[in-house]
Amino acid sequence: MTGRSRRGVLAGAGAGLAALAGCSVSLGTDETADGEALRRLADEERFERPYPHPLSIPDAMVTRHRERARALLDGVPVETDIPNELIATRIERERERLAERLDAGASGAESPDGQDDAGDAGGPDGDDGATASARDRLREARRRRREAAALRGTYRAATGGIDRADVERRRDAQRGRLAAFRAAWDYRAAAPVRAALVHAHLENLVDGAEHALTPWPQFPADPAADVEQVGYIAEKVEEAAAALDDLERYREQVAGERTTGYRPALMAAATWLRRRARREAFRHEAYLDEGVEAFDRDLGESVARYRFVIAREVAREYSNRDLIDRIDAGGYANAVLFAATRRAAVTALAASVEAVESDETGGEVSVQRIEAARRRAREAIETALDRGPVGLLARLLGPAFTALDEARRELEHGASGTPARALGGYRYAAEFAETAADAADELAFLLEEST
Amino acid sequence: MPSTRRDALGAAAVALSACLAGCNAFSATDSSRTPHPGTGDRVTDYETARQVATGDRRLFRWTGDDHRSSEHLLVTTRDERAAVAFDLPADDPVPRFVAETDFDRAALALFQRRHGACVRLDTFGLERRPDELRVHLCTKPRPADERCRTDRQRSTLLAVRIPVEGEAPPELSVVRSSRCEDRYGPSRDGGKGR
């Protein structure tokens, strides 16, 4: 309830500002100067969204991909005897490029930054900016592995060394690994919020592997006539294998903790949050369906109008339908995070409707007011992240960061943009940051209660 | 070399597709056309002939009085055909294909291009738009087991026979793509259309 009282204070402050609005200088008295001032605001340093990684990435994980990439590369000679010189040259050049990249990456892998933060529910990731973070190096190594597989597949197609059965055998093997992973997957973690964050990441990897295993495009009838297609197919299968390597390592990591299986708890929390958001959305259904037309007066180009428009867009993006689909699809961790984001989005929408209905226009638009609103939005986001858990908030605050980005883009247009929309966007971001923090508390509470 | 399939295709250099679908690609009611991305309708019942020569060769030229493109040409009458001169024996696949065309029922589009010796140029698809006939050509590397050098050139001549039903000849436009994949799967009417 703390959030609600804070919102009450905020609403009061908003009304106060609206009362003062008559005194503020509106934009448009000096368009050139205002346009410049707006653009200067847009140029100021961006407020970066944190992307903490919920698991550790030991060097062994990176090394495994690199070794596999090297082994694939070793299967392609430095000089080929492929009759088609164009294909021969492409293969030889790509081999050379990849060998250089692998050598360059090898020195990076020796950096001491062996592990991202594996602490509680997602601390900041261990990237100190000086060396590539473990996550970047993992991504890079996986990319090299895919590229090496594409090259090796292309080479084998060019030299008659691969057929459809080879590809299907390897793809089926990965399909088997994926099925085994799923069968044993019980969403274990040391704490419930951590379960949501860790397993949302694993779900993304599983989705990636599944997508990579789709048997498309078809293996060509004449591989030598379509070597690049064969390379692409080989790359996709390797991508699945790489994702499964990581998944199996992460699972060992998670199982090593003193853990509980959280699948039922995640499912329960997702369902409860969905129902709560549905109940609140139901009260505002006309606004969701009809937009500004649902109000009994013209909102004009007011700041309140833009804040409402943005709130409605977000609430529709995080829709009940999408949430049901996610729950049905069985991605429990991502579903519960989506549910909490929707919960925050619907509450923020309700607040924006309330603001309009209590006759707030959001006041005049001025450079100073835009700057102040941006500062408040950033402070609200920082406060929410501080309240934590940071990994959870970083995830739930997505719409607030998007609103900041969109407001900045509006300012880039200077006087020809819509400054009222920028101001509405910052107000929305501040509001959303508070509702997201409340939703995070609610999620944590529900997960604890249902465990 | 696992290319019996490829050889068979090569032997049929004049890829005569069975014109089972009524051969009325220019009729607005033709059911053999399926929607194509963009504004055009996909045409599937066309026929093609293709010939390749080593080096930089001009395989056809327009001998008529007016100036026309030496890269592509739309031929819709016997007179126009008479103004096309081939630098190839008359019984070669493309000249024969052109000679056999009945202009009461079809129009011809001719293309010639010079390109690297290790790539293949082919017709990829045909699309009828409101005021033009758009031909999609594509290039892709030749099979890996065909010997070729990157510092050599080849010239490809393509002829496309498109069924018409007594309409004014459309404008011809050409789009080139670096992929030759069949995006839509096999065609039910047996045409070459992809």
Side-chain angles (χ1 to χ4, degrees), chain B residues 57-126:
Chain B
R57 293 259 315 265
R58 176 139 307 179
L59 297 168
F60 76 75
R61 76 198 148 78
W62 174 251
T63 64
D65 295 333
D66 54 334
H67 177 76
R68 295 196 187 182
S69 164
S70 58
E71 283 209 314
H72 58 263
L73 205 57
L74 188 69
V75 182
T76 58
T77 65
R78 287 178 193 83
D79 287 347
E80 283 182 330
R81 174 168 59 193
V84 179
F86 288 102
D87 184 17
L88 291 165
D91 59 349
D92 263 17
V94 172
R96 206 171 61 231
F97 178 82
V98 170
E100 287 166 356
T101 298
D102 174 0
F103 289 103
D104 292 335
R105 299 170 56 191
L108 273 174
L110 296 175
F111 303 91
Q112 61 184 345
R113 295 283 191 280
R114 183 191 64 177
H115 52 81
C118 291
V119 301
R120 175 190 169 91
L121 175 77
D122 209 343
T123 330
F124 173 53
L126 240 73

